[in-house]
């Protein structure tokens, strides 16, 4: 027995004793009989028993209610744990009593309910997001099951799936916006008019109603591709038609003012422009057919020009035998038109190659011209540093031409790879043309050098005979000095100290030449040989000095084939000294 129970019994015993004594005292005073006393005593006991029974019954009922509540709470807890997919916690292990057990179960059930409510709220939000994104993507939403409630792992996977769908929708929205803007720009450029509802929806300003579904995105991409292709096609057609119209106008001798008005009426690359150009081509073609002979002759002139641009030989031109046909018909006109288109295409496809060839030819001609000037006898008469400028330009061309030739070889190789045949330039290969140009240049140099040597051998004058060596026919130093520029001592007759030839119109040089001619000859010509006369020892020393100076000048000329102005001035004192020695 628990202490509190013993205490309660003691208290009830005391209460019962005092009350029974008080009741008995009253009964005794009443003086009732024995029979009545037994009845009253029995009633008193029954009343006490009833009260005690009622109290016990009430407590028992409370116990039953608690047990029922606990059972309900247990069922709720079990259901909630099942929904949450968690294990049922242990119950009644600590023997805390029904009240405590009920309170613990209530707290546990409340906690489980909160978890369920939170998870249900999370699931409902995810379902709402899935439905919304699937509607935008034109797909059917696959909702997650809420009975039992999904686990945390399932919810996480479901969340990742929805995020992937939302990311896909975002990317499609971006793509839709980009493609729509491009399509609208292309439609504006073409002045395109939509013909179906989908095209009108894309070209409208409203973006809300568009569903970025798989089907719609595929249609959008196809529409964009078709618009891009249409713009490119229209541009190409408009460009070709404009060129054709200009060619037809030239043949028809159309009024330039009318042509200008027409071009202003149909600007850009719109569909309306394309239609207008087609009508103009048809009009010009009809006029051309009415004057077939005139047009064919003009087209033949254009073909000749294209032949020249493509560098075709006479033999290569004969393949187009219709060019020589005198029966002017529409078929012949068509053949000439086809040939012009073919030649234009050939030229345009290899325009870089033809332009590079022309550039190389121009630079080569310039190089030959500069070399011709460099070897000219009167090249030192140029003033103002022209020799130096020409030398720099010649060096630049000598470096630039090989680079152009390397590019030509690359272009020719690409042409042969694409076309399958070697490139022909006036009936020759590029390699042959370049090699011949170098060979011709080398031969010309040899011929000119041989001519100059022969001229030196044949040219012998009395004034220069003092430099001849017996038994030889080579010209001596005076000939070299004659072509060597000297500085004019008479500086009052010129400005800037420019170089002039040694034997120019100067008075001093003329007097020296006159003196040399009037002097008695120093040599005798005996048949094929030259015999040196006897000199005095002083005269012989002078001749030796002149020879040494001549050799010095010759070496200097070999080092500087084309003298600039500064090098030229350096040789002037040597040449003047030589003249003084000859005079003496």
């Amino acid at each position: 027995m628990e202490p509190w129970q013993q205490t309660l019994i003691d208290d009830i015993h005391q209460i019962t004793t005092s009350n029974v004594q008080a009741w008995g005292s009253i009964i005794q005073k009443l003086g009732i009989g024995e029979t009545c006393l037994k009845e009253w005593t029995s009633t008193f006991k029954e009343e006490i028993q009833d009260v005690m029974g009622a109290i016990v019954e009430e407590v028992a009922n409370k116990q039953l209610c608690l047990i029922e509540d606990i059972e309900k709470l247990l069922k709720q807890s079990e259901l909630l744990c099942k929904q949450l997919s968690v294990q049922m916690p242990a119950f009644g292990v600590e023997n805390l009593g029904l009240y405590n057990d009920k309170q613990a179960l209530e707290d546990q059930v409340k906690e489980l309910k909160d978890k369920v409510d939170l998870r249900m709220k999370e699931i409902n939000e995810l379902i709402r997001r899935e439905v919304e994104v699937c509607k935008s993507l034109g797909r059917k939403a696959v909702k997650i099951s809420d009975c039992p409630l999904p686990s945390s792992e399932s919810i996480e996977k479901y969340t990742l799936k929805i995020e992937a769908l939302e990311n896909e929708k975002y990317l499609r929205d971006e793509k839709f916006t980009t493609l729509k803007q491009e399509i609208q720009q292309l439609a504006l450029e073409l002045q395109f008019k939509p013909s179906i509802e989908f095209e009108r929806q894309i070209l409208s300003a409203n973006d809300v109603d568009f569903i970025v579904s798989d089907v719609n995105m595929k249609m959008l991409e196809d529409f964009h591709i078709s618009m891009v292709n249409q713009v490119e096609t229209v541009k190409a057609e408009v460009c070709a038609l404009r060129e054709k119209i200009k060619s037809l106008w030239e043949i028809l001798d159309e009024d330039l003012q009318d042509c200008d008005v027409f071009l202003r009426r149909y600007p850009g690359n719109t569909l309306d422009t394309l239609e207008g150009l087609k009508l103009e081509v048809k009009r010009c073609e009809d006029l051309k057919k009415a004057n077939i002979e005139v047009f064919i002759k003009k087209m033949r002139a254009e073909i000749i020009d294209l032949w020249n641009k493509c560098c075709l030989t006479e033999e290569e031109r004969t393949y187009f035998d219709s060019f020589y046909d005198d029966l002017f018909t529409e078929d012949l006109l068509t053949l000439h038109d086809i040939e012009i288109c073919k030649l234009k295409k050939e030229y345009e496809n290899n325009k870089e190659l033809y332009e590079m060839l022309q550039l190389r030819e121009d630079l080569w001609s310039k190089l030959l011209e500069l070399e011709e000037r460099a070897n000219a006898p009167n090249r030192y008469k140029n003033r103002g540093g022209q020799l130096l400028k020409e030398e720099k330009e010649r060096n630049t061309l000598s470096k630039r031409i090989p680079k152009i030739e390397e590019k030509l070889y690359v272009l020719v190789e690409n042409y042969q790879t694409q076309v399958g045949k070697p490139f022909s330039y006036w009936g020759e290969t590029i390699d042959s043309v370049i090699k011949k140009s170098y060979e011709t240049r080398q031969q010309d140099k040899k011929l000119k050098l041989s001519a100059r040597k022969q001229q030196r051998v044949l040219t012998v004058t009395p004034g220069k005979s003092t430099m001849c060596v017996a038994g030889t026919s080579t010209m001596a130093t005076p000939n070299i000095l004659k072509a060597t520029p000297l500085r004019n001592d008479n500086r009052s007759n010129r400005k800037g100290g420019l170089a002039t030839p040694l034997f120019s119109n100067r008075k001093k040089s003329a007097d020296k030449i006159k003196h040399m001619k009037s002097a008695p000859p120093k040599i005798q010509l005996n048949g094929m040989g030259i015999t040196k006369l006897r000199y005095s020892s002083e005269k012989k020393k002078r001749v030796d000095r002149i020879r040494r100076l001549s050799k010095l000048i010759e070496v200097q000329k070999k080092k500087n084939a084309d003298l600039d102005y500064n090098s030229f001035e350096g040789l002037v004192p040597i040449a003047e000294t030589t003249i003084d020695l000859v005079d003496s």
Side-chain angles (χ1 to χ4, degrees):
M1 182 182 294
E2 297 292 334
W4 66 270
Q5 290 178 338
Q6 185 61 45
T7 301
L8 178 62
I9 290 171
D10 293 341
D11 292 342
I12 291 173
H13 179 71
Q14 186 178 357
I15 292 171
T16 301
T17 300
S18 62
N19 283 309
V20 170
Q21 289 176 356
W23 183 76
S25 177
I26 294 170
I27 291 298
Q28 189 176 2
K29 289 179 179 182
L30 290 175
I32 61 175
E34 189 70 23
T35 305
C36 186
L37 180 60
K38 289 182 179 180
E39 292 178 359
W40 280 36
T41 303
S42 178
T43 303
F44 184 81
K45 290 179 181 178
E46 290 177 357
E47 288 291 336
I48 291 174
Q49 186 67 34
D50 290 340
V51 171
M52 289 293 187
I55 292 174
V56 172
E57 184 179 359
E58 182 180 359
V59 172
N61 289 334
K62 285 185 177 294
Q63 183 182 7
L64 290 175
C65 289
L66 282 174
I67 292 172
E68 290 178 358
D69 291 342
I70 289 172
E71 288 178 350
K72 290 179 180 178
L73 289 171
L74 286 172
K75 289 181 180 179
Q76 289 181 6
S77 178
E78 182 180 5
L79 180 62
L80 292 172
C81 289
K82 187 176 181 180
Q83 285 183 325
L84 292 171
S85 300
V86 296
Q87 188 177 0
M88 180 78 175
F91 172 72
V93 178
E94 299 178 357
N95 295 322
L96 298 176
L98 295 179
Y99 273 111
N100 291 332
D101 288 342
K102 179 185 176 183
Q103 186 63 40
L105 279 173
E106 286 178 347
D107 294 341
Q108 178 180 326
V109 169
K110 182 177 181 302
E111 182 180 356
L112 292 173
K113 280 185 176 180
D114 291 342
K115 288 183 179 180
V116 169
D117 291 341
L118 181 62
R119 187 165 294 183
M120 283 298 299
K121 185 178 180 181
E122 184 180 1
I123 291 172
N124 290 333
E125 176 64 18
L126 291 174
I127 291 174
R128 183 194 65 78
R129 287 168 59 187
E130 183 188 18
V131 171
E132 182 179 348
V133 71
C134 287
K135 181 181 178 182
S136 299
L137 293 173
R139 299 176 185 175
K140 185 178 180 180
V142 183
K143 300 179 182 179
I144 191 171
S145 175
D146 57 355
C147 186
L149 289 177
S151 62
S152 300
E153 292 80 6
S154 300
I155 291 178
E156 185 177 356
K157 290 181 181 179
Y158 187 54
T159 303
L160 292 175
K161 172 190 171 184
I162 294 173
E163 287 177 352
L165 291 173
E166 289 175 342
N167 186 52
E168 183 179 359
K169 177 183 178 297
Y170 172 77
L171 293 176
R172 288 192 177 187
D173 287 338
E174 289 290 320
K175 186 175 182 180
F176 165 74
T177 303
T178 302
L179 291 179
K180 180 175 180 178
Q181 291 176 352
E182 292 180 4
I183 289 172
Q184 288 179 340
Q185 183 65 31
L186 294 171
L188 181 63
E189 185 177 348
L190 284 175
Q191 294 183 359
F192 176 82
K193 296 177 182 178
S195 57
I196 60 176
E197 182 60 30
F198 180 79
E199 294 176 351
R200 283 191 284 271
Q201 184 179 6
I202 298 300
L203 295 176
S204 67
N206 185 14
D207 296 342
V208 180
D209 298 334
F210 188 81
I211 298 174
V212 287
S213 62
D214 296 339
V215 176
N216 286 347
M217 291 304 293
K218 182 66 170 59
M219 293 176 64
L220 181 67
E221 291 174 359
D222 293 342
F223 186 30
H224 178 262
I225 292 173
S226 67
M227 290 296 292
V228 171
N229 293 336
Q230 191 171 2
V231 167
E232 292 178 355
T233 303
V234 169
K235 280 184 179 179
E237 289 184 6
V238 167
C239 183
L241 288 173
R242 282 200 175 106
E243 292 296 325
K244 189 171 184 179
I245 288 173
K246 289 178 181 178
S247 177
L248 291 171
W249 281 345
E250 290 179 1
I251 296 174
L252 294 170
D253 292 331
E254 291 286 323
D255 184 53
L256 294 178
Q257 186 175 359
D258 294 339
C259 297
D260 188 56
V261 170
F262 177 83
L263 293 176
R264 285 200 302 270
R265 188 188 308 156
Y266 295 103
N269 300 300
T270 65
L271 295 173
D272 294 338
T273 299
L274 179 63
E275 189 63 28
L277 293 175
K278 287 181 178 179
L279 293 175
E280 179 64 14
V281 168
K282 185 177 182 304
R283 183 188 73 84
C284 294
E285 290 287 353
D286 293 339
L287 288 175
K288 188 172 72 172
K289 289 178 181 178
N291 300 274
I292 290 178
E293 183 177 355
V294 175
F295 293 124
I296 288 178
K297 289 182 178 179
K298 290 185 178 180
M299 292 172 75
R300 285 177 176 175
E302 186 177 358
I303 288 174
I304 292 175
D305 182 59
L306 290 170
W307 279 343
N308 293 331
K309 284 185 176 181
C310 295
C311 305
L312 299 181
T313 62
E314 293 296 331
E315 183 179 357
E316 290 173 326
R317 300 180 186 192
T318 55
Y319 76 92
F320 183 57
D321 51 1
S322 299
F323 186 85
Y324 308 99
D325 195 346
D326 293 334
L327 184 59
F328 301 103
T329 61
E330 291 185 11
D331 293 338
L332 186 65
L333 183 67
T334 304
L335 290 174
H336 279 69
D337 196 12
I338 293 172
E339 182 65 16
I340 288 174
C341 294
K342 177 183 174 183
L343 291 171
K344 284 183 177 179
K345 184 178 180 181
E346 171 71 17
Y347 181 76
E348 289 299 326
N349 291 341
N350 304 286
K351 188 175 182 180
E352 184 181 3
L353 182 54
Y354 289 118
E355 290 178 350
M356 194 71 70
L357 281 167
Q358 186 61 44
L359 176 61
R360 193 261 179 193
E361 185 177 345
D362 294 340
L363 295 179
W364 185 260
S365 300
K366 184 64 176 176
L367 178 63
L368 296 180
E369 180 184 350
L370 292 173
E371 289 180 347
E372 184 70 22
R373 292 181 188 175
N375 295 324
N378 59 346
R379 62 187 181 279
Y380 296 114
K381 290 183 180 181
N382 294 320
R383 297 177 180 271
Q386 184 64 27
L387 289 176
L388 183 58
K389 293 179 182 177
E390 290 180 358
E391 175 64 17
K392 289 182 178 179
E393 187 176 2
R394 188 155 59 91
N395 291 335
T396 301
L397 292 176
S398 299
K399 295 177 182 178
R400 187 180 178 188
I401 290 175
K403 294 180 180 179
I404 293 176
E405 290 170 353
E406 289 179 4
K407 293 181 181 178
L408 279 174
Y409 283 125
V410 173
L411 292 174
V412 168
E413 185 177 354
N414 294 337
Y415 173 87
Q416 188 167 353
T417 302
Q418 295 174 0
V419 180
K421 64 178 182 178
F423 182 80
S424 176
Y425 181 71
W426 297 113
E428 296 184 271
T429 62
I430 298 300
D431 186 55
S432 174
V433 171
I434 293 176
K435 285 182 179 179
K436 281 187 178 180
S437 62
Y438 280 103
E439 290 173 359
T440 304
R441 176 192 179 195
Q442 192 65 25
Q443 290 174 2
D444 289 345
K445 285 184 177 180
K446 290 180 179 179
L447 290 174
K448 291 176 182 178
L449 182 61
S450 176
R452 285 197 297 269
K453 287 182 178 180
Q454 186 176 5
Q455 185 177 5
R456 291 196 191 104
V457 171
L458 297 177
T459 304
V460 179
T461 61
K464 301 167 188 166
S465 58
T466 57
M467 305 308 299
C468 293
V469 181
T472 65
S473 61
T474 304
M475 298 303 296
T477 305
N479 280 337
I480 298 172
L481 293 176
K482 183 176 180 181
T484 304
L486 294 182
R487 184 170 52 198
N488 192 349
D489 289 336
N490 189 6
R491 288 178 171 81
S492 63
N493 295 333
R494 61 180 182 86
K495 296 180 181 179
L498 297 175
T500 57
L502 175 62
F503 295 114
S504 63
N505 291 329
R506 299 182 309 169
K507 182 177 179 181
K508 182 178 178 181
S509 299
D511 293 340
K512 291 177 182 178
I513 295 172
K514 183 177 180 181
H515 173 71
M516 292 172 66
K517 290 183 178 180
S518 61
K522 302 295 189 298
I523 60 173
Q524 286 182 345
L525 297 178
N526 298 325
M528 296 300 293
I530 302 176
T531 303
K532 185 173 70 174
L533 297 180
R534 189 173 296 175
Y535 297 108
S536 65
S537 59
E538 185 179 354
K539 195 71 171 180
K540 187 176 182 181
K541 289 180 181 180
R542 291 199 196 102
V543 172
D544 291 338
R545 288 180 64 188
I546 292 171
R547 287 175 179 170
R548 287 196 297 272
L549 289 174
S550 300
K551 289 180 180 180
L552 177 62
I553 294 173
E554 191 68 30
V555 171
Q556 199 74 8
K557 284 189 63 178
K558 289 180 180 179
K559 289 183 179 179
N560 303 281
D562 294 307
L563 298 175
D564 58 15
Y565 182 73
N566 295 328
S567 300
F568 170 76
E569 284 189 334
L571 292 177
V572 171
I574 300 173
E576 290 180 343
T577 304
T578 306
I579 292 175
D580 293 337
L581 290 172
V582 173
D583 290 338
S584 61

PDB file of all heavy atoms in Angstrom, residues 92-101 104:
ATOM      1  N   GLY A  92       4.705   4.059 -22.764  1.00  0.00           N
ATOM      2  CA  GLY A  92       4.430   3.415 -21.478  1.00  0.00           C
ATOM      3  C   GLY A  92       5.573   2.659 -20.893  1.00  0.00           C
ATOM      4  O   GLY A  92       5.375   1.815 -20.011  1.00  0.00           O
ATOM      5  N   VAL A  93       6.746   2.883 -21.375  1.00  0.00           N
ATOM      6  CA  VAL A  93       7.902   2.148 -20.872  1.00  0.00           C
ATOM      7  C   VAL A  93       8.283   2.630 -19.478  1.00  0.00           C
ATOM      8  O   VAL A  93       8.686   1.857 -18.600  1.00  0.00           O
ATOM      9  CB  VAL A  93       9.084   2.284 -21.847  1.00  0.00           C
ATOM     10  CG1 VAL A  93      10.302   1.563 -21.308  1.00  0.00           C
ATOM     11  CG2 VAL A  93       8.693   1.741 -23.205  1.00  0.00           C
ATOM     12  N   GLU A  94       8.120   3.887 -19.189  1.00  0.00           N
ATOM     13  CA  GLU A  94       8.584   4.484 -17.936  1.00  0.00           C
ATOM     14  C   GLU A  94       7.537   4.431 -16.829  1.00  0.00           C
ATOM     15  O   GLU A  94       7.813   4.895 -15.715  1.00  0.00           O
ATOM     16  CB  GLU A  94       9.007   5.936 -18.189  1.00  0.00           C
ATOM     17  CG  GLU A  94      10.148   6.062 -19.187  1.00  0.00           C
ATOM     18  CD  GLU A  94      10.517   7.513 -19.447  1.00  0.00           C
ATOM     19  OE1 GLU A  94       9.822   8.396 -18.876  1.00  0.00           O
ATOM     20  OE2 GLU A  94      11.465   7.777 -20.210  1.00  0.00           O
ATOM     21  N   ASN A  95       6.303   3.900 -17.112  1.00  0.00           N
ATOM     22  CA  ASN A  95       5.236   3.780 -16.105  1.00  0.00           C
ATOM     23  C   ASN A  95       4.958   5.105 -15.409  1.00  0.00           C
ATOM     24  O   ASN A  95       5.008   5.242 -14.184  1.00  0.00           O
ATOM     25  CB  ASN A  95       5.590   2.713 -15.052  1.00  0.00           C
ATOM     26  CG  ASN A  95       5.671   1.316 -15.658  1.00  0.00           C
ATOM     27  OD1 ASN A  95       4.868   0.966 -16.533  1.00  0.00           O
ATOM     28  ND2 ASN A  95       6.624   0.512 -15.180  1.00  0.00           N
ATOM     29  N   LEU A  96       4.694   6.096 -16.212  1.00  0.00           N
ATOM     30  CA  LEU A  96       4.450   7.437 -15.668  1.00  0.00           C
ATOM     31  C   LEU A  96       3.001   7.653 -15.254  1.00  0.00           C
ATOM     32  O   LEU A  96       2.676   8.695 -14.702  1.00  0.00           O
ATOM     33  CB  LEU A  96       4.840   8.488 -16.718  1.00  0.00           C
ATOM     34  CG  LEU A  96       6.315   8.483 -17.128  1.00  0.00           C
ATOM     35  CD1 LEU A  96       6.542   9.505 -18.232  1.00  0.00           C
ATOM     36  CD2 LEU A  96       7.212   8.771 -15.946  1.00  0.00           C
ATOM     37  N   GLY A  97       2.132   6.746 -15.573  1.00  0.00           N
ATOM     38  CA  GLY A  97       0.707   6.923 -15.275  1.00  0.00           C
ATOM     39  C   GLY A  97      -0.038   7.330 -16.514  1.00  0.00           C
ATOM     40  O   GLY A  97       0.525   7.819 -17.495  1.00  0.00           O
ATOM     41  N   LEU A  98      -1.369   7.095 -16.383  1.00  0.00           N
ATOM     42  CA  LEU A  98      -2.185   7.349 -17.572  1.00  0.00           C
ATOM     43  C   LEU A  98      -2.209   8.828 -17.930  1.00  0.00           C
ATOM     44  O   LEU A  98      -2.183   9.186 -19.111  1.00  0.00           O
ATOM     45  CB  LEU A  98      -3.606   6.838 -17.327  1.00  0.00           C
ATOM     46  CG  LEU A  98      -3.756   5.317 -17.154  1.00  0.00           C
ATOM     47  CD1 LEU A  98      -5.223   4.951 -16.897  1.00  0.00           C
ATOM     48  CD2 LEU A  98      -3.274   4.597 -18.393  1.00  0.00           C
ATOM     49  N   TYR A  99      -2.306   9.695 -16.928  1.00  0.00           N
ATOM     50  CA  TYR A  99      -2.337  11.124 -17.212  1.00  0.00           C
ATOM     51  C   TYR A  99      -1.030  11.576 -17.908  1.00  0.00           C
ATOM     52  O   TYR A  99      -1.050  12.302 -18.904  1.00  0.00           O
ATOM     53  CB  TYR A  99      -2.546  11.922 -15.917  1.00  0.00           C
ATOM     54  CG  TYR A  99      -3.997  12.106 -15.567  1.00  0.00           C
ATOM     55  CD1 TYR A  99      -4.543  11.452 -14.466  1.00  0.00           C
ATOM     56  CD2 TYR A  99      -4.815  12.964 -16.313  1.00  0.00           C
ATOM     57  CE1 TYR A  99      -5.878  11.619 -14.137  1.00  0.00           C
ATOM     58  CE2 TYR A  99      -6.149  13.124 -15.982  1.00  0.00           C
ATOM     59  CZ  TYR A  99      -6.682  12.459 -14.901  1.00  0.00           C
ATOM     60  OH  TYR A  99      -8.005  12.621 -14.564  1.00  0.00           O
ATOM     61  N   ASN A 100       0.073  11.142 -17.375  1.00  0.00           N
ATOM     62  CA  ASN A 100       1.362  11.519 -17.963  1.00  0.00           C
ATOM     63  C   ASN A 100       1.551  10.911 -19.364  1.00  0.00           C
ATOM     64  O   ASN A 100       2.094  11.557 -20.268  1.00  0.00           O
ATOM     65  CB  ASN A 100       2.499  11.073 -17.055  1.00  0.00           C
ATOM     66  CG  ASN A 100       2.525  11.873 -15.755  1.00  0.00           C
ATOM     67  OD1 ASN A 100       2.100  13.025 -15.712  1.00  0.00           O
ATOM     68  ND2 ASN A 100       3.004  11.239 -14.673  1.00  0.00           N
ATOM     69  N   ASP A 101       1.073   9.631 -19.451  1.00  0.00           N
ATOM     70  CA  ASP A 101       1.167   8.999 -20.766  1.00  0.00           C
ATOM     71  C   ASP A 101       0.320   9.741 -21.791  1.00  0.00           C
ATOM     72  O   ASP A 101       0.730   9.940 -22.944  1.00  0.00           O
ATOM     73  CB  ASP A 101       0.711   7.543 -20.677  1.00  0.00           C
ATOM     74  CG  ASP A 101       1.731   6.673 -19.944  1.00  0.00           C
ATOM     75  OD1 ASP A 101       2.898   7.122 -19.837  1.00  0.00           O
ATOM     76  OD2 ASP A 101       1.370   5.573 -19.501  1.00  0.00           O
ATOM     77  N   ALA A 104       2.075  12.958 -22.719  1.00  0.00           N
ATOM     78  CA  ALA A 104       3.208  12.687 -23.597  1.00  0.00           C
ATOM     79  C   ALA A 104       2.752  12.348 -25.004  1.00  0.00           C
ATOM     80  O   ALA A 104       3.328  12.802 -26.013  1.00  0.00           O
ATOM     81  CB  ALA A 104       4.048  11.555 -23.013  1.00  0.00           C
TER      82      ALA A 104
END
